[in-house]
Amino acid sequence: MRKPIIAGNWKMFKTRDEALYFILKVSTMMPDIDKVDSVILAQSPLMRDLVKRQGENLRIGAQNLYYEDEGAFTGEVSGQLLASYNVDYVVIGHSERRNIFGETDQEVNKKIKAALKHNILPILCVGEHLEERENLQTNQVLSTQITAALDGISKEQMANIVIAYEPIWAIGTGKTATSDMADESCGFIRDLVKTLYDDIVSDTIRIQYGGSVKPENIDELLSKPNIDGALIGGASLDPDKFIYMANAALKRVE
Ligand code: 13P
């Protein structure tokens, strides 16, 4: 049985005061960490304050890192620094990073390796554009992104990676993929992982769905066999909604 993982990607939202208010409100309301992983992914300058207040059942992550440990890379944040704040997770290859900041599959691969080197669990994001889905290229896009991202990653390291399937057309649009569509793509990813590794890795890898997930649709999405959790943008900014969605994952394991 795979442990569900519910992660709130705050993107570039929330001031320090708003973030602290949120963490204070939700940290005692999260399901037992032995049953569900609940994670908030915030802007890097918030890491220290949030990790300090994460409590027993909530964990904090960053939304990006640079793959070098140090150097003349103005404006970047290293995995080494994040690790020194005891950050547990980092989002790698979010479509906003790929599309707005031009991040390539090769950079995504280096960033995953950097995260693993510093014992930070990478959440690898993949997903297709609307035109690609319409042209029946979804599987090809997922296959290219995942194969490149996991190049040189060992079977053992796969135990410390989460994959998030986020169709770009469903992000921030209110258009959720139907649960069957989401499950089918997550299933394709699971089969691909089996081809790249083996049955055990394929059975144990956790795959999240992301794209307009909210309290109204999370139960249905989590009822699907290949969906092990959610990566939530907009709806994760509201503490009551996040509490609801983290606890919705409990039902899948109880
Ligand atoms: P929304 O939930 O706002 O659609 O964002 C999804 C996302 O990009 C999470 O990483």
Side-chain angles (χ1 to χ4, degrees):
M1 186 59 144
R2 298 181 291 267
K3 180 162 47 150
I5 171 166
I6 301 297
N9 175 9
W10 281 357
K11 309 191 179 186
M12 206 176 72
F13 290 98
K14 289 204 189 287
T15 62
R16 178 173 180 271
D17 285 349
E18 289 165 351
L20 294 181
Y21 170 79
F22 181 108
I23 297 297
L24 189 70
K25 187 157 180 190
V26 310
S27 61
T28 56
M29 306 294 282
M30 294 293 102
D32 192 314
I33 199 167
D34 290 336
K35 296 190 171 143
V36 176
D37 282 320
S38 307
V39 184
I40 285 293
L41 304 152
Q43 295 180 71
S44 288
L46 289 170
M47 293 295 104
R48 187 163 177 269
D49 283 336
L50 300 193
V51 170
K52 246 202 233 169
R53 294 165 177 84
Q54 66 188 6
E56 274 178 36
N57 295 319
L58 180 68
R59 291 293 174 266
I60 304 301
Q63 300 170 6
N64 183 28
L65 53 67
Y66 193 60
Y67 49 81
E68 299 288 352
D69 282 349
E70 57 182 14
F73 304 106
T74 303
E76 294 294 322
V77 174
S78 68
Q80 179 170 266
L81 181 65
L82 293 174
S84 75
Y85 287 149
N86 296 318
V87 165
D88 286 302
Y89 293 84
V90 63
V91 179
I92 303 286
H94 191 277
S95 62
E96 286 148 21
R97 296 233 41 99
R98 294 176 191 258
N99 297 329
I100 304 172
F101 302 100
E103 208 162 283
T104 64
D105 284 332
Q106 288 64 40
E107 285 167 326
V108 167
N109 176 249
K110 287 184 186 172
K111 289 181 176 197
I112 288 181
K113 288 175 178 160
L116 291 170
K117 173 177 161 193
H118 293 291
N119 293 319
I120 303 172
L121 191 151
I123 299 177
L124 163 64
C125 299
V126 294
E128 80 286 1
H129 288 277
L130 183 59
E131 315 82 79
E132 292 166 335
R133 178 158 281 268
E134 287 172 350
N135 293 335
L136 307 178
Q137 293 168 325
T138 300
N139 291 353
Q140 189 190 318
V141 170
L142 296 177
S143 180
T144 304
Q145 289 177 338
I146 291 172
T147 307
L150 298 180
D151 184 43
I153 304 293
S154 71
K155 205 161 103 169
E156 291 69 32
Q157 287 175 311
M158 286 300 284
N160 296 314
I161 290 183
V162 167
I163 299 178
Y165 168 60
E166 297 206 306
I168 294 162
W169 48 271
I171 295 179
T173 57
K175 276 193 218 164
T176 325
T178 64
S179 56
D180 284 335
M181 218 189 254
D183 188 53
E184 189 189 331
S185 290
C186 291
F188 172 80
I189 293 171
R190 199 173 296 291
D191 286 344
L192 177 66
V193 168
K194 190 193 289 198
T195 313
L196 295 173
Y197 295 90
D198 59 21
D199 283 345
I200 297 174
V201 178
S202 160
D203 285 345
T204 50
I205 182 92
R206 292 184 295 171
I207 305 175
Q208 298 174 300
Y209 166 77
S212 298
V213 178
K214 48 191 181 233
E216 294 77 14
N217 59 23
I218 193 159
D219 293 291
E220 165 73 13
L221 287 161
L222 293 181
S223 73
K224 295 293 171 183
N226 284 302
I227 303 179
D228 304 312
L231 183 55
I232 307 151
S236 76
L237 296 168
D238 178 318
D240 293 322
K241 290 183 183 173
F242 189 70
I243 291 167
Y244 177 90
M245 293 187 286
N247 285 285
L250 249 191
K251 291 183 223 154
R252 194 175 186 260
V253 283
E254 280 183 340

